Amino acid sequence: MPHHSACRISPHRNPANEGVFDVTTQQGTTDLHAMAANLSLPGEAFIDGGFRPAASGKVFENVNPATGAVLNTVAACDAADVDTAVAAGRRAFKEGSWSRVAPEERKAVLIRLAELIRADAEALATMESLDSGKTITDCRNEIGHEVPAFFQWYGELIDKTFGKIAPTDEQTLALILQEPIGVAGVVLPWNFPLLMAAWKVAPALAAGCSVVVKPAEQTPLTALRLAQLALEAGVPAGVLNVVPGFGETAGQAIGRHADIDVVSFTGSTEIGAMFLRYASDSNLKPVGLEMGGKSPFIVLDDAEINEALIENAVMAALWNGGQNCSANMRQYVSAGRKAEYLDKVSARISRLKVGDPLDPETDIGAMVSSEHRDRVMSYIEKGVSEGARLVRGGGGLEGSDGFFVLPTLFDDVTQEMTIAREEIFGPVLGVIPFDTAEAALEMAADSVYGLHASVFTRDIDRALHFARRLPCGTISINSFSEGDIKTPFGGYKRSGSLARDNGTEAMQQYLQAKTVWIARSS
Ligand code: NAD
Ligand code: MN
């Protein structure tokens, strides 16, 4: 998915992830902190074309993970606000000011939105970094390049997507149309706040749906700003609504709403399962799920353990502080190569800079919250107590009140250990040796998850064998890559439903097929 600048943990560049406009500025840490201090942070819900407080008047505190300080307060929406947002979405959908306009019109608006995001990218990236603890470098790459690329790509797709005509006799014309499904509910995680919003909102809007978004309570800011920019770009009032709030209240209200036609969710497998229950208890809405992972990174004995491979290994595990659903945290290395591998990975990790997310030199920012930091630390303790060998890391950042975890490397991990089976969602990499390629394949496949896998080999036959046999939605050979905007992304097994984000496949989540059977009248 995201591309990375050459100096950070960043082996994989893909032109599809780089925008047409260069939004990178020369601002350094001091300027960024000044910009951060002057940002006006959105704190209200965005419903029916404007900001408003929650109907209950309740707010929650939004914390800066890098300092532990309160950034601002944000409307704590609940079922009443979701109702208002859904009603606005339904009204707009019925009016047809978005759902039924000419494709060229929706296209022009989404392309304008992409341009507005590019123009605002530095402020948005700074806002996202403050809100989430993500590094400014990652925020710039995601928001300056990928997020606008999504709105542009799906915008451009609108007037190039054709329906079908079924073969019939001459008395009949049978058309298969794709129609927007209606009001879409979108429930998001905190690890790539605006990018995950773009992954879902861009195809949903392109399809002609109205959308009600619930960002994660840890990271509500940039989704709120997105709604404002969308209105400015010409998305009619009521079409895109953002209701910040907690999962139990706002999230559940979306899941159970009788007038929401589809839900697209990204988050943990546990909560994804709840959305299936919500749907079966309410209106049987289809539910698209993108969930957890515990993805393997496999280094076969013929692979050359060179700088590029090590760069991939470190990025696959530690990019975004390991808070990535497709992070490759189980690293299987041929036993005879393990000592060399550990030395090189450990040396590369020692050069990573952990700290102020608003410093462009920082590689790893803060964990998103103190609760999440504690959860990651408890996994590290479990790794030690179950007998893995701690090679480096394992602690926090001295002298900081932020929620930092140092990049952590374990050796002598076994397949049965908790740290090899459960998703940690933090910077905790475990190395597991293997004797034969078949044993590596078997261990890699042995997981309830199936999101992603990387395989390193120079042997084309082995590459093909692993690509065919690994049960997961994305496999990258000789790199760590999640593909890009053009390729579908989603999980096998408990990592996902049949729904896919990205590519033309993502549109299917927000469309339904209609058959029109036209016969001669006489
Ligand atoms: P989470 O499941 O706790 O939260 C996700 C969203 O669900 C949030 O908006 C949250 O408020 C909401 N939610 C929480 N409880 C709810 C409830 N009872 N009812 C309705 N909604 C509820 O996950 P998270 O901690 O925010 O994100 C981390 C998880 O997301 C990881 O497991 C990770 O693997 C997964 N993830 C997956 C992908 C993917 O594409 N497959 C991408 C990013 C993250
Ligand atoms: Mn926050």
Side-chain angles (χ1 to χ4, degrees):
M1 147 170 88
H3 97 277
H4 304 266
S5 73
C7 55
R8 306 264 69 81
I9 36 178
S10 59
H12 176 71
R13 288 183 78 94
N14 181 338
N17 291 339
E18 301 182 20
V20 223
F21 299 91
D22 183 14
V23 296
T24 315
T25 71
Q26 298 307 308
Q27 286 202 111
T29 315
T30 317
D31 302 320
L32 286 162
H33 277 281
M35 180 174 233
N38 289 321
L39 282 177
S40 89
L41 304 177
E44 294 187 321
F46 194 93
I47 297 176
D48 205 6
F51 283 112
R52 62 171 81 182
S56 67
K58 286 189 189 147
V59 295
F60 62 95
E61 289 185 337
N62 181 24
V63 169
N64 178 348
T67 63
V70 174
L71 269 176
N72 70 336
T73 60
V74 177
C77 293
D78 60 23
D81 308 291
V82 170
D83 267 348
T84 314
V86 173
R90 177 64 58 196
R91 190 210 63 233
F93 189 76
K94 279 189 180 161
E95 278 170 11
S97 56
W98 184 254
S99 56
R100 288 200 297 270
V101 297
E104 292 78 4
E105 250 178 80
R106 283 210 297 272
K107 171 185 172 182
V109 170
L110 291 188
I111 290 174
R112 210 174 306 135
L113 176 55
E115 280 159 13
L116 292 178
I117 295 167
R118 287 186 187 108
D120 204 33
E122 187 75 346
L124 272 166
T126 306
M127 190 185 285
E128 181 125 307
S129 178
L130 284 175
D131 199 2
S132 65
K134 288 166 64 78
T135 68
I136 186 68
T137 303
D138 282 348
C139 293
R140 278 172 170 165
N141 286 334
E142 286 156 31
I143 296 176
H145 299 295
E146 292 180 72
V147 169
F150 267 85
F151 286 99
Q152 180 159 342
W153 197 85
Y154 284 100
E156 287 170 351
L157 193 61
I158 296 172
D159 63 352
K160 297 168 193 72
T161 303
F162 292 77
K164 290 201 273 189
I165 300 170
T168 54
D169 64 36
E170 269 198 359
Q171 314 305 309
T172 309
L173 195 56
L175 310 178
I176 303 163
L177 311 179
Q178 296 285 341
E179 295 195 328
I181 192 161
V183 179
V186 164
V187 179
L188 298 173
W190 43 258
N191 55 345
F192 297 93
L194 194 57
L195 186 61
M196 291 302 105
W199 276 27
K200 296 184 190 295
V201 172
L205 289 180
C209 285
S210 294
V211 188
V212 177
V213 179
K214 193 201 85 64
E217 56 271 29
Q218 297 87 348
T219 55
L221 299 181
T222 47
L224 289 167
R225 178 80 181 121
L226 173 70
Q228 200 181 13
L229 291 175
L231 186 80
E232 195 182 324
V235 174
V239 171
L240 177 59
N241 308 279
V242 179
V243 287
F246 294 96
E248 291 257 298
T249 47
Q252 179 162 195
I254 288 176
R256 293 187 179 279
H257 206 288
D259 204 30
I260 287 183
D261 300 297
V262 60
V263 162
S264 186
F265 168 85
T266 291
S268 61
T269 295
E270 182 195 352
I271 305 296
M274 287 188 186
F275 275 90
L276 294 175
R277 289 201 285 275
Y278 297 155
S280 70
D281 287 349
S282 58
N283 61 347
L284 302 177
K285 58 180 78 61
V287 176
L289 300 172
E290 303 277 2
M291 301 178 289
K294 188 74 186 179
S295 299
F297 184 97
I298 304 156
V299 183
L300 295 178
D301 59 3
D302 67 89
E304 192 187 333
I305 302 184
N306 56 20
E307 204 180 313
L309 187 149
I310 295 301
E311 197 69 18
N312 273 283
V314 170
M315 188 187 72
L318 302 180
W319 163 50
N320 207 36
Q323 302 170 115
N324 178 16
C325 51
S326 58
N328 290 180
M329 292 306 192
R330 299 184 282 149
Q331 302 206 341
Y332 296 95
V333 183
S334 160
R337 317 290 300 282
K338 198 189 71 171
E340 176 193 3
Y341 186 79
L342 274 169
D343 276 355
K344 289 183 172 171
V345 166
S346 183
R348 179 64 186 97
I349 292 176
S350 72
R351 289 190 282 118
L352 296 178
K353 189 170 170 191
V354 183
D356 181 6
L358 285 182
D359 179 347
E361 296 298 310
T362 296
D363 296 293
I364 297 183
M367 299 291 101
V368 76
S369 65
S370 62
E371 294 81 5
H372 186 57
R373 185 260 325 265
D374 294 348
R375 187 168 166 266
V376 173
M377 291 304 299
S378 77
Y379 273 112
I380 294 173
E381 283 155 26
K382 225 173 250 173
V384 172
S385 72
E386 289 181 13
R389 184 173 72 87
L390 184 65
V391 179
R392 65 162 47 250
L397 194 62
E398 292 280 316
S400 168
D401 294 327
F403 315 134
F404 294 93
V405 177
L406 295 179
T408 298
L409 175 61
F410 277 110
D411 181 21
D412 296 334
V413 176
T414 66
Q415 190 71 3
E416 293 70 36
M417 288 179 185
T418 309
I419 58 167
R421 306 202 74 81
E422 294 183 15
E423 180 173 52
I424 302 174
F425 229 59
V428 185
L429 193 180
V431 173
I432 306 176
F434 65 82
D435 292 323
T436 65
E438 273 317 300
L441 177 59
E442 204 170 296
M443 286 195 284
D446 168 29
S447 172
V448 296
Y449 296 117
L451 194 56
H452 184 275
S454 301
V455 182
F456 284 73
T457 177
R458 288 180 292 186
D459 180 335
I460 185 71
D461 294 343
R462 286 170 135 189
L464 282 170
H465 182 62
F466 274 75
R468 292 285 192 192
R469 294 291 168 82
L470 282 168
C472 51
T474 299
I475 294 172
S476 50
I477 306 288
N478 292 327
S479 78
F480 167 73
S481 171
E482 297 176 352
D484 66 25
I485 198 166
K486 304 183 288 293
T487 54
F489 182 82
Y492 281 30
K493 299 196 266 183
R494 284 181 227 175
S495 290
S497 59
L498 291 178
R500 292 291 181 265
D501 286 329
N502 302 355
T504 53
E505 284 81 356
M507 295 289 285
Q508 296 307 317
Q509 289 191 55
Y510 311 101
L511 293 168
Q512 54 193 344
K514 175 185 274 179
T515 296
V516 180
W517 190 271
I518 306 169
R520 286 181 64 108
S521 66
S522 58

